[in-house]
Each structure stands twice: as C-alpha cells, then as structure tokens.
Amino acid sequence: MTLTTLVLGATALQREAAIASAFDPTLTTALILEGIASDHSPLDTMNGPRISRIAPGCLCCSGNMTMRVTLNRILRHPPQRLYISLANSAHLDGIRRFLSDTPYDELLQLTQAIHA
C-alpha cells in the first residue's frame, strides 16, 4: 500500500516547503500538487519525486475527475509514498472519503495530515 499524506496550508509555497522537509529520498515518491507556488518552490531542485500539478479547485467536487485520472496514472506504477497538497481544506472529510473508497481503500494508506 502507498502511504498517502494530505498536506494543508495557506499557500502552495508553504505546502511545498512542508513536503520538501518531510521528503525521504530512499522512498519512491509521487506528489499531486494543487496550485502553483508563486515563488521558487523547494521542490524545483529536488530529484526523485514524480510531480503532477492540478489547477486549484475542490478536488472532491469539481475536480473529482481530474483527481481520479491523476491518481490512477500515478498508481499504475505505485510509489511507496504519495503527498497530496490541497489548496483548500474546506472539504477535507470528502477528500478523505474519496481516498478511502473503492478502489483506493486497497491501494492507499492514509497517514496523519501535515499542516504547513
């Protein structure tokens, strides 16, 4: 199962800095980043993680199809670690339900969220 962590914070730069500080280079890692950092992201210089960027929007509502397609592509070659950066945590429970529902319940192991 892929260890999956939701990353929450006010800005994309803060969320990406939190991911960079938690990053373990010994694990295969994929990132789904909602939004684009307005300044130079610490992830820009990192080697290793597969990075997918999604335009900001509610990932459990309007962005559900985008999230599903991106996640399915990543899980074709499952990483050991997955970080999902959320621009808006208003529907955090809905995103957790989405990630805990079939088929993801057998592919992902949700961990404690990181608050940047």
Side-chain angles (χ1 to χ4, degrees):
M1 293 189 77
T2 297
L3 293 174
T4 304
T5 302
L6 300 176
V7 182
L8 314 165
T11 69
L13 187 59
Q14 290 173 332
R15 295 187 303 273
E16 292 180 23
I19 292 169
S21 68
F23 181 75
D24 181 348
T26 65
L27 300 176
T28 57
T29 303
L31 314 173
I32 298 176
L33 306 174
E34 185 183 12
I36 298 174
S38 60
D39 205 354
H40 295 289
S41 168
L43 300 176
D44 293 341
T45 59
M46 294 179 70
N47 291 324
R50 291 183 287 168
I51 299 175
S52 300
R53 290 195 181 270
I54 297 176
C58 182
L59 293 181
C60 71
C61 299
S62 62
N64 183 287
M65 184 56 72
T66 302
M67 174 67 151
R68 187 175 301 277
V69 168
T70 302
L71 191 54
N72 289 347
R73 284 182 181 155
I74 287 171
L75 293 175
R76 284 183 195 149
H77 304 283
Q80 294 168 299
R81 197 79 170 88
L82 172 64
Y83 292 96
I84 302 174
S85 169
L86 302 174
N88 184 335
S89 61
H91 296 143
L92 184 58
D93 291 338
I95 293 168
R96 284 192 172 280
R97 275 192 304 277
F98 170 78
L99 296 172
S100 299
D101 202 5
T102 305
Y104 305 117
D105 61 334
E106 295 187 16
L107 302 170
L108 305 175
Q109 179 182 345
L110 293 175
T111 66
Q112 185 73 30
I114 295 175
H115 297 272

